[in-house]
Amino acid sequence: VGTVAWTNPANAGVSDNVYATAATTNGVTTHYLNAQNCGFAIPSDARIDGIAVSIERKSSGANQLDVRARIIKGGAIHTTGPFVNPEVLPLADAVEVYGGASDLWGLPWTPADINGSGFGFALAVRQAGGAGQTASVDAISITVYYTRPGDTQVTVVKFRSPRPPPGALLTLLVPALRYGFKVRGQQT
């Protein structure tokens, strides 16, 4: 999608005011900014209850919209999910959450789907007016909600990682579990 590549896409790994950016003009859409290859370790007997994606982002102007917020399953960017209307990117850092504790993005999920390298999230931004503007993404995090047989409550597994060197796999060590994803700009 789109014609504008993201600059420094790995910067979207942690909320530190160091951004992945894309400069657009009126009517132009960016390529997807992908957060993928998460490295989740959801137990194989778990039932996936929901997926939430949080994006901390902003714009240098008032006319950029997050026109495509998509879940990635098996390496394919899907068009189903909770995303209904494009949101105007705010002028100051703010977090937008897509999905939730009981939102499966219109797709069936297994632990293998979530644990696989082809699971993730993709975002594209479009400028809908005005002079050139820059979209900035500070952080993308993915939260997976699941229940195991016999559990009386939902388990929440969240991923957000430190910023790695460009092109490196992002990782975060959490007691007994390891998560990671690679953030990259992709032309799709």
Side-chain angles (χ1 to χ4, degrees):
V1 68
T3 58
V4 175
W6 288 87
T7 302
N8 299 314
N11 288 349
V14 66
S15 180
D16 60 359
N17 296 324
V18 178
Y19 301 91
T21 60
T24 62
T25 56
N26 188 24
V28 173
T29 301
T30 67
H31 294 308
Y32 280 117
L33 177 63
N34 289 358
Q36 204 173 339
N37 199 17
C38 301
F40 282 105
I42 307 291
S44 62
D45 63 346
R47 179 190 72 227
I48 306 302
D49 298 312
I51 302 166
V53 179
S54 301
I55 305 173
E56 184 179 353
R57 80 277 194 269
K58 68 178 182 177
S59 175
S60 65
N63 299 307
Q64 286 183 317
L65 307 166
D66 52 2
V67 293
R68 299 209 179 160
R70 307 285 195 233
I71 201 75
I72 302 172
K73 180 180 180 182
I77 297 172
H78 289 266
T79 59
T80 59
F83 184 68
V84 179
N85 296 313
E87 294 286 331
V88 174
L89 273 62
L91 297 175
D93 263 357
V95 175
E96 182 71 27
V97 178
Y98 299 97
S102 61
D103 195 326
L104 296 173
W105 296 67
L107 297 169
W109 293 95
T110 67
D113 295 327
I114 303 294
N115 296 340
S117 63
F119 170 70
F121 178 79
L123 174 74
V125 173
R126 179 177 177 83
Q127 185 169 328
Q133 298 171 13
T134 299
S136 301
V137 175
D138 193 13
I140 298 173
S141 66
I142 300 173
T143 305
V144 175
Y145 301 83
Y146 69 92
T147 308
R148 294 185 72 188
D151 283 355
T152 57
Q153 63 186 30
V154 173
T155 302
V156 179
V157 180
K158 186 171 185 173
F159 173 75
R160 178 176 280 164
S161 82
R163 185 169 30 92
L169 177 67
L170 303 177
T171 60
L172 171 66
L173 296 178
V174 175
L177 299 172
R178 181 175 181 216
Y179 311 100
F181 67 71
K182 186 171 185 176
V183 180
R184 61 188 169 88
Q186 174 183 327
Q187 180 176 354
T188 307

